[in-house]
Amino acid sequence: MTASLPHADLVAAIPRLRRYARVLMGDSTRADDLVQDTLARAWEKRALWQAGTDLRAWLFTIMHNVFVNQRVLARRDARNVSLDDDEGGAGWQVPVAATQLTRIELIETMQSVGKLPVEQREVLILAAVEEMRYEEIAHVMGIPVGTVMSRLSRARDKLRRMTGEPTMQLKVVK
Amino acid sequence: MNPLPIDDDALHAWVDGQLPAARRAEVDEMLARDPELAARAAAWRAQNTLLREGMDAWLEEPVPSRLVEAATRDNAQASQWRSWAAAAAILVVGVALGWSGRDMTLVRAGIPTTFAREAAFAHAIYTTDARRPVEVAASDTQGLVTWLTRRLGQPAHAPDLTSVGFELVGGRLLAGNEKPTALLMYENGAKQRLTLQWRKLAPGTEEAQFRYEVDNGVGVFYWIDDACAYALSGSLDRRQLLAVARVAYGQIVSPEAAVQAK
């Protein structure tokens, strides 16, 4: 029997893959294309998957590499097109209907994070939202831990400047 | 004795909860003495909270079927996977039911239980099903409630969660060896889905307050009331999920408030 991946875990990982893809692409349709390419690549590389290890980290590493490769190819194909043009687009919208607790700060932060350079927001989201350890992030992105830390500093300070000082008493918008 | 100076790396690790306890205490001390550093840390921490809140909501969006297919393509075994998943769901519920006596002991001891975990599992399986998330749709609420009442052997109600923005999608019955589990699914305007699951326990089972667990990104509030175990699952943040759990709980305790048929 050939090697296989744990189906249920793979399906369960889709929402997180979609989130990471959306952070990378800033657009949910193209994000889903990236997820699909990542899953296809995971099946091709399934012999390299070691059962019992962290599936999320493995899939995220694949996604990061697929993303970087596609970006390199796209740049080569269309030198004039900046992939950063559409950053800060529709992908960063806050689901306003989700809750009555929607806050100005939430909307501002979500929009501002979309304006960060992709390398910085990638590190930030993996640390802040995925709660990955810095060593794991370094592994996923194939960079030294020191680079993770400096990108994190730049991302956080830039975001802080863009959103202004947070009011410690958060406003509730009706 | 002076603690080590705080560099950026330590401050990040403090904000992200990645510092060992001893070092954390040192940073706490430095922050208490340095308002500027404290403001920076507070701003970063607020960013974390907001980003999580904004992006955790994305996790609840329905998954396109092309992605589920891509995840399960394993050559020609896609259809086999579907029947396997259904069998697995039935099996785990069966195991959970068979072990319910043990479950309850664990609840009292404050240990995470299989019940919450199975609820999270069923939630993940059915809320991501694009074509058939429920067996009976909300358009036939009366039929759904009657069916669940008959199969569970006790009056069932569909709590009305519109006050917190969630509409009933419908429900299904999860099969088990001994007793079935009922599942109701709700959805809000942002297509986030919640499930409320419950099953009967042995008469006289001690009541248990709300408990919270996160399993695979799915938050679960669970409690025991009137010899029945309940679990509300969703990928909302804890605070939002608790608000919904309170509304659901209130209506279960006083069913007159719940929608029985509309």
Side-chain angles (χ1 to χ4, degrees):
Chain A
M1 202 184 133
T2 53
S4 186
L5 295 170
H7 282 111
D9 293 345
L10 215 52
V11 171
I14 295 176
R16 277 167 190 279
L17 286 171
R18 294 180 80 208
R19 175 161 75 181
Y20 181 30
R22 205 151 137 188
V23 168
L24 292 170
M25 307 299 271
D27 162 289
S28 41
T29 309
R30 291 195 309 153
D32 281 346
D33 292 343
L34 178 60
V35 175
Q36 194 164 357
D37 293 345
T38 301
L39 290 167
R41 190 89 184 100
W43 278 111
E44 284 165 22
K45 294 178 65 171
R46 63 184 179 274
L48 299 175
W49 157 249
Q50 292 174 298
T53 57
D54 185 356
L55 184 67
R56 178 184 64 159
W58 188 69
L59 292 170
F60 274 31
T61 307
I62 293 174
M63 179 174 282
H64 175 85
N65 292 336
V66 170
F67 170 73
V68 170
N69 290 340
Q70 288 181 353
R71 209 153 66 126
V72 169
L73 289 177
R75 281 210 174 130
R76 197 182 299 158
D77 289 351
R79 270 165 216 270
N80 301 329
V81 178
S82 162
L83 282 162
D84 297 335
D85 276 353
D86 49 3
E87 277 172 13
W92 304 100
Q93 277 168 14
V94 178
V96 268
T99 158
Q100 288 118 347
L101 304 168
T102 304
R103 300 188 299 243
I104 290 167
E105 283 86 352
L106 177 59
I107 294 167
E108 266 182 4
T109 302
M110 292 293 282
Q111 285 172 347
S112 303
V113 79
K115 293 175 189 150
L116 293 175
V118 64
E119 298 83 3
Q120 290 176 24
R121 70 169 181 253
E122 187 177 4
V123 169
L124 178 63
I125 298 314
L126 292 181
V129 180
E130 287 294 336
E131 298 178 69
M132 279 188 166
R133 299 199 64 81
Y134 303 140
E135 297 78 20
E136 272 186 288
I137 298 171
H139 179 78
V140 164
M141 297 179 67
I143 53 177
V145 176
T147 309
V148 170
M149 302 316 293
S150 58
R151 285 183 188 175
L152 199 52
S153 277
R154 265 173 283 159
R156 281 182 162 148
D157 285 337
K158 208 175 281 182
L159 196 57
R160 189 178 169 202
R161 280 198 299 276
M162 281 193 280
T163 55
E165 291 301 304
T167 50
M168 279 298 99
Q169 282 171 338
L170 301 170
K171 294 168 209 142
V172 175
V173 180
K174 295 258 168 163
Chain B
M1 197 179 82
N2 287 327
L4 291 169
I6 306 299
D7 57 10
D8 264 16
D9 290 8
L11 201 60
H12 286 297
W14 182 86
V15 166
D16 293 324
Q18 299 196 22
L19 275 188
R23 186 78 176 124
R24 195 166 63 229
E26 286 178 2
V27 176
D28 286 341
E29 220 175 284
M30 287 293 286
L31 291 175
R33 275 185 280 156
D34 185 341
E36 201 175 311
L37 198 66
R40 193 150 174 243
W44 289 358
R45 202 162 245 194
Q47 289 172 0
N48 275 15
T49 308
L50 290 167
L51 289 171
R52 261 177 231 151
E53 192 172 325
M55 295 189 183
D56 279 352
W58 296 355
L59 296 177
E60 266 303 293
E61 292 173 7
V63 172
S65 54
R66 67 173 169 129
L67 297 185
V68 178
E69 277 154 29
T72 54
R73 64 147 222 203
D74 203 3
N75 304 323
Q77 296 177 4
S79 61
Q80 202 179 328
W81 140 248
R82 269 189 278 279
S83 57
W84 178 84
I90 289 164
L91 180 71
V92 293
V93 172
V95 169
L97 287 167
W99 280 68
S100 61
R102 183 186 149 84
D103 250 5
M104 293 314 120
T105 319
L106 294 179
V107 164
R108 278 197 293 274
I111 296 167
T113 66
T114 52
F115 177 56
R117 209 163 301 140
E118 303 325 332
F121 187 85
H123 174 91
I125 292 255
Y126 292 112
T127 53
T128 53
D129 193 314
R131 286 200 201 112
R132 210 166 167 74
V134 294
E135 201 75 47
V136 180
S139 54
D140 185 18
T141 305
Q142 179 64 69
L144 173 63
V145 166
T146 308
W147 177 48
L148 294 177
T149 296
R150 190 159 41 82
R151 297 305 304 272
L152 262 64
Q154 67 173 36
H157 306 282
D160 180 351
L161 303 180
T162 48
S163 66
V164 278
F166 283 87
E167 298 276 352
L168 184 66
V169 176
R172 59 166 68 240
L173 196 69
L174 308 176
N177 285 340
E178 295 167 45
K179 289 172 190 164
T181 297
L183 180 151
L184 293 179
M185 195 179 296
Y186 294 83
E187 190 175 82
N188 68 6
K191 303 282 177 206
Q192 294 177 305
R193 284 174 171 176
L194 296 175
T195 57
L196 177 67
Q197 297 173 53
W198 71 96
R199 66 172 190 237
K200 238 168 121 172
L201 303 172
T205 306
E206 223 171 277
E207 301 202 339
Q209 296 301 310
F210 282 170
R211 284 171 195 284
Y212 181 69
E213 210 175 291
V214 179
D215 195 72
N216 255 323
V218 179
V220 184
F221 269 103
Y222 57 105
W223 68 94
I224 298 169
D225 183 63
D226 202 13
C228 215
Y230 296 87
L232 181 78
S233 316
S235 300
L236 302 178
D237 73 25
R238 185 193 163 109
R239 202 161 33 94
Q240 296 172 359
L241 197 61
L242 176 61
V244 181
R246 289 212 170 105
V247 173
Y249 175 78
Q251 296 196 13
I252 289 162
V253 172
S254 112
E256 313 79 61
V259 185
Q260 291 190 42
K262 257 187 188 166

